[in-house]
Amino acid sequence: MTDRDDGAADLVRSEVAAWQELARRQARNEAAGLRLATAGRPGELSADDDVRGDVRGVPGWMAGALAAVPTGAIYVEPVRASDGRIVDLVVRAANKTARLANGEVVDRLVGRRLLDISPGLLLSGVFGEYVRAYETGQVFHRSYAEYPAGSGGQGKPVEVTVRAAPLHEGLLVSWQYHGDADRLSERWSLAERLVGLGWGEWNLITDDVVWTPRLYEVYDRDPADGPLRLDQLPKFVVPEDLPAVQERIRALFEQRTPVDGEYRIRGRHGTRHLRVLHEPVPDASGRTVAIRTLAMDVSEQRRAAQALDETREEVLRERRRVEEERRIARRLRRALLPVREGLIEFPGLRVAVRYLAGEPGRVGGDWWKARRLPDGRVLLAIGDAMGHGLEATTMMTAMRAGLAGLAYTGAGAPQLATWLNELVNNMVPGEIVTGTAALGHVDPESRELAWTSAGHPPPVLVRDGRARLLDHLPHGPMLGVLDEPEFPLTTTALEPGDIVLFYTDGILDRQGRDRDELTEAMLDAVQSVARRVRRDTGDAADPVLAVERVMQALDAEESADDICVMAVQVR
């Protein structure tokens, strides 16, 4: 703890000590005032007091009535002034269990005035309630704090419950004192019901402090070290929480209201978060004579809340990172793979392409390539870099750009696939990266498609209004899986009016739907286009219409994955 923290703690201790001394001084002054108010009054009844009623004896049945009361009980009758006002009550009889807070047996005080025996009854207002009960005939019941007779306000106040009921010519008054054991039992039962609460009380007059076992556990304190007074608390409070604790203690004493809040303490086993209620206990005059404390260890809840906040912040950071990655990936994809609407014209071929991103903001690795080479052949390729986001876009860019350069070597489809596999294998050292591709060349003069597949879905051939998968042909493994794979060459003879449909697997991946069912829907869609166009115009099917029809039939807009469809028409 720093010098500054020590100063704050000393300030709290000095303020609490000042309030405690004030409470003690007020107790002494009020006790002295009571002695002055009752000084000079005789201990026995006198003729001047105009006592009414038979003071010479008590009905015989009264002894039985008093003996039936299990707590201390007395029978009192009013003492009236000359104007008829009740100025005191005289003790006419008492049972054997009747004792004062200081242990004095009440039976020895029969015949004395009640205010001489217990002057605090006047200050507390209890005497007035006794008079009211006598005059109205209604039963009076109340609990309050009382100082033992003769203590001068220095003794420890005790809690007492009194009851007064009109009887015969006076009142039957009974009472029960509640000691420390009674109060602790009551508060401890309450704490047990509320789960995990500890209870304590600090008497400002006697400086006694009582803690329940649970409160020692809450404050992580060894019972052998004893309980803490409120002015000792700052030594254990985390410095950052001291100002708030000081404000609560000031409000507790100055405003005499309960204060509730959280602070951290340094216990034997580390820092703890406590939820604490401090409550002032007033005596009959309203003066604070004790401080009660209820405390709960909320460390686990605070750690859980902190972990939740950290997780929430981590999620937000990750979300911002992903959004930034997607933004970069979208810009990169637009720059390297622009979406082209309409037809791409080549000698003897027309090509239509449609790319559709998956979930909003999600960028995948689907790619395509259609380019005429110097030797007159047309390179056709479609592929899918596994994954999403910037990593997939980067991989897609490398595969597409690599193929574009390698294609100018004049190598055939198997060799291009082998080179692509080597490129993918070495793309991220130490990590496995995979992808798929279907690529080949179309010779416009011979109308032959020489192609190979690297783990990619088979293309669809549409001829004479019928569509079929080219799936019973040899194909190679996915890119990046093997070091030295073989990619067999397949040559497919094409005819004028044919359409070859290439696509990525996103068109056939739909949650809750069968892949075979979607494949049939795709074949039906492209087949219906070919038949309708041929029937209406006699011309070959339009590749743009074929692409759009497939996308609509398979609800491509609902796909979570990105989709690329390329239709090639032979002329």
Side-chain angles (χ1 to χ4, degrees):
M1 183 177 290
T2 65
D3 293 340
R4 182 177 180 181
D5 298 330
D6 286 336
D10 290 340
L11 180 60
V12 174
R13 285 192 290 269
S14 64
E15 288 184 351
V16 173
W19 284 314
Q20 184 181 16
E21 178 57 32
L22 177 62
R24 288 174 170 172
R25 187 165 62 249
Q26 289 175 337
R28 291 194 295 270
N29 293 340
E30 290 177 2
L34 283 175
R35 289 195 297 273
L36 289 174
T38 59
R41 299 184 62 180
E44 301 296 333
L45 296 177
S46 68
D48 295 335
D49 288 319
D50 187 21
V51 178
R52 298 179 182 178
D54 184 4
V55 297
R56 294 169 296 179
V58 176
W61 53 264
M62 186 65 69
L66 291 171
V69 180
T71 60
I74 57 176
Y75 171 67
V76 296
E77 290 183 346
V79 176
R80 297 181 182 273
S82 57
D83 59 1
R85 291 180 298 107
I86 297 177
V87 295
D88 211 334
L89 297 168
V90 63
V91 180
R92 298 298 311 280
N95 64 8
K96 293 182 179 180
T97 59
R99 283 175 172 76
L100 299 179
N102 61 3
E104 188 175 2
V105 179
V106 178
D107 186 50
R108 300 173 185 173
L109 304 177
V110 171
R112 294 189 62 186
R113 295 181 178 182
L114 197 58
L115 290 180
D116 288 337
I117 299 172
S118 183
L121 293 175
L122 187 62
L123 181 64
S124 65
V126 173
F127 177 78
E129 297 294 341
Y130 284 170
V131 173
R132 187 174 295 107
Y134 175 80
E135 293 178 340
T136 63
Q138 295 181 348
V139 176
F140 164 67
H141 182 271
R142 177 177 163 185
S143 296
Y144 70 103
E146 175 182 279
Y147 288 97
S151 69
Q154 296 292 332
K156 181 178 181 180
V158 293
E159 186 176 339
V160 59
T161 300
V162 296
R163 178 184 177 88
L167 181 67
H168 191 51
E169 297 294 333
L171 292 172
L172 177 63
V173 178
S174 61
W175 67 92
Q176 182 176 13
Y177 293 109
H178 305 288
D180 288 341
D182 297 325
R183 292 197 302 274
L184 278 176
S185 176
E186 180 184 348
R187 269 63 176 193
W188 178 240
S189 298
L190 175 62
E192 284 292 321
R193 291 197 298 272
L194 294 178
V195 184
L197 280 175
W199 179 88
E201 183 174 282
W202 176 29
N203 187 289
L204 299 177
I205 309 302
T206 65
D207 209 29
D208 291 335
V209 185
V210 181
W211 275 18
T212 61
R214 176 60 183 168
L215 195 57
Y216 282 99
E217 296 176 9
V218 169
Y219 276 88
D220 195 19
R221 186 170 176 80
D222 189 344
D225 295 332
L228 291 174
R229 299 192 310 270
L230 203 57
D231 60 335
Q232 297 171 321
L233 183 62
K235 180 180 178 182
F236 300 93
V237 174
V238 172
E240 293 82 0
D241 294 348
L242 264 177
V245 171
Q246 181 180 1
E247 286 301 317
R248 293 191 191 109
I249 293 178
R250 181 177 292 115
L252 177 67
F253 283 96
E254 291 182 351
Q255 302 174 19
R256 300 179 183 179
T257 58
V259 291
D260 181 18
E262 291 188 17
Y263 54 77
R264 293 166 293 171
I265 58 105
R266 292 169 297 191
R268 295 176 298 167
H269 303 95
T271 301
R272 289 194 175 188
H273 290 253
L274 305 185
R275 178 72 181 270
V276 183
L277 169 68
H278 296 297
E279 178 186 27
V281 180
D283 64 3
S285 66
R287 182 181 70 250
T288 299
V289 296
I291 301 296
R292 288 175 184 160
T293 298
L294 282 174
M296 173 186 288
D297 182 2
V298 294
S299 302
E300 288 298 327
Q301 294 93 315
R302 294 300 161 264
R303 279 193 287 268
Q306 181 179 359
L308 182 61
D309 290 341
E310 292 174 355
T311 301
R312 186 181 294 111
E313 182 60 30
E314 180 64 26
V315 169
L316 291 176
R317 285 197 298 269
E318 179 65 17
R319 183 178 297 172
R320 288 192 292 268
R321 185 195 65 78
V322 170
E323 288 300 326
E324 179 63 14
E325 180 181 294
R326 288 176 175 175
R327 185 184 64 82
I328 296 173
R330 286 194 296 269
R331 293 180 62 181
L332 182 61
R333 185 177 187 90
R334 284 195 298 267
L336 300 176
L337 190 63
V339 177
R340 300 180 62 175
E341 301 294 337
L343 288 174
I344 306 173
E345 299 281 351
F346 297 107
L349 298 176
R350 293 195 304 169
V351 179
V353 181
R354 174 79 185 277
Y355 171 80
L356 183 66
E359 296 176 352
R362 188 180 184 186
V363 180
D366 289 8
W367 58 275
W368 60 275
K369 192 72 177 176
R371 173 172 295 186
R372 187 181 183 189
L373 300 177
D375 59 11
R377 295 179 302 167
V378 176
L379 172 68
L380 299 174
I382 192 168
D384 186 359
M386 297 297 103
H388 296 88
L390 187 58
E391 180 180 348
T393 302
T394 303
M395 182 179 171
M396 174 273 295
T397 302
M399 292 173 66
R400 186 171 182 272
L403 178 63
L406 294 170
Y408 280 88
T409 64
Q415 183 60 60
L416 293 178
T418 300
W419 286 337
L420 274 183
N421 183 76
E422 185 175 350
L423 174 65
V424 172
N425 269 333
N426 294 279
M427 191 168 293
V428 182
E431 294 186 18
I432 297 178
V433 179
T434 61
T436 65
L439 57 97
H441 301 88
V442 174
D443 185 340
E445 294 184 0
S446 65
R447 295 194 180 92
E448 286 185 344
L449 170 63
W451 62 283
T452 190
S453 172
H456 200 81
V460 175
L461 176 63
V462 183
R463 176 177 295 169
D464 298 329
R466 298 185 60 185
R468 64 184 178 91
L469 288 173
L470 301 178
D471 57 347
H472 299 297
L473 302 171
H475 58 275
M478 294 176 61
L479 301 172
V481 175
L482 301 177
D483 291 333
E484 297 181 357
E486 292 186 2
F487 297 101
L489 179 66
T490 297
T491 300
T492 301
L494 301 178
E495 297 178 2
D498 285 353
I499 284 183
V500 181
L501 188 73
F502 296 91
Y503 54 92
T504 55
D505 62 355
I507 195 73
L508 300 178
D509 285 342
R510 205 77 81 254
Q511 186 175 3
R513 297 187 65 179
D514 183 70
R515 190 181 181 92
D516 291 339
E517 174 190 340
L518 291 171
T519 300
E520 288 298 324
M522 177 179 64
L523 296 177
D524 289 344
V526 69
Q527 191 170 260
S528 65
V529 170
R531 289 175 177 175
R532 186 173 68 253
V533 171
R534 181 177 295 274
R535 182 182 64 251
D536 294 344
T537 65
D539 295 333
D542 184 349
V544 174
L545 186 60
V547 169
E548 292 301 326
R549 180 61 178 168
V550 167
M551 300 286 269
Q552 293 173 6
L554 274 70
D555 298 321
E557 297 284 350
E558 303 299 323
S559 176
D561 199 1
D562 54 341
I563 295 172
C564 186
V565 177
M566 178 171 64
V568 181
Q569 181 195 22
V570 181
R571 293 191 292 182

